[in-house]
Amino acid sequence: MELILRELERNDEITSGVSVAKLVKSWPSLIERATKAVRDAFYSSPQQPRLLNPDSIKRTIADGVTQELLRCASKDTNGRLKLVKFKESLPEADVEISDDVFVLKAEYYHYLSSNCPVM
């Protein structure tokens, strides 16, 4: 069994975790994504390796926010993004995987904040 797992990992079919760089690179466009959709993409997309631990994406998101590559947001009652976490350390335990919490690339946030009132 261990030999099979090592081969799957070597071929990038499965992984114990994903780097922030790989997550940002695989992001399809400048859009916000629900944290649940980010996690689920690793099980639905043939281009992504399967996560051995679904909660490992929390570590990736936390690292991305801490490194200022990602922003965490929620939406107000009008559907506008409201930043929750940025430019600060984010513990993995504080990352919520749901349809109501969003992550966005830093450059998307900069685009939004310069072209329309987000906050």
Side-chain angles (χ1 to χ4, degrees), residues 73-114:
S74 61
K75 288 193 176 181
D76 65 16
T77 55
N78 295 320
R80 292 180 302 212
L81 288 171
K82 184 177 108 180
L83 284 181
V84 178
K85 291 282 185 182
F86 66 104
K87 291 187 178 183
E88 62 184 272
S89 179
L90 177 63
E92 180 179 347
D94 288 354
V95 176
E96 181 183 344
I97 302 295
S98 77
D99 290 320
D100 300 321
V101 177
F102 299 87
V103 289
L104 45 141
K105 291 181 184 179
E107 62 265 24
Y108 180 55
Y109 165 74
H110 294 304
Y111 167 79
L112 285 176
S113 61
S114 65

Side-chain angles (χ1 to χ4, degrees), residues 16 39 43 51-60 92 95 97:
S16 57
R39 183 202 58 203
Y43 298 99
L51 297 173
L52 291 172
N53 176 1
D55 283 341
S56 66
I57 199 66
K58 290 181 175 184
R59 172 81 269 143
T60 304
E92 180 179 347
V95 176
I97 302 295

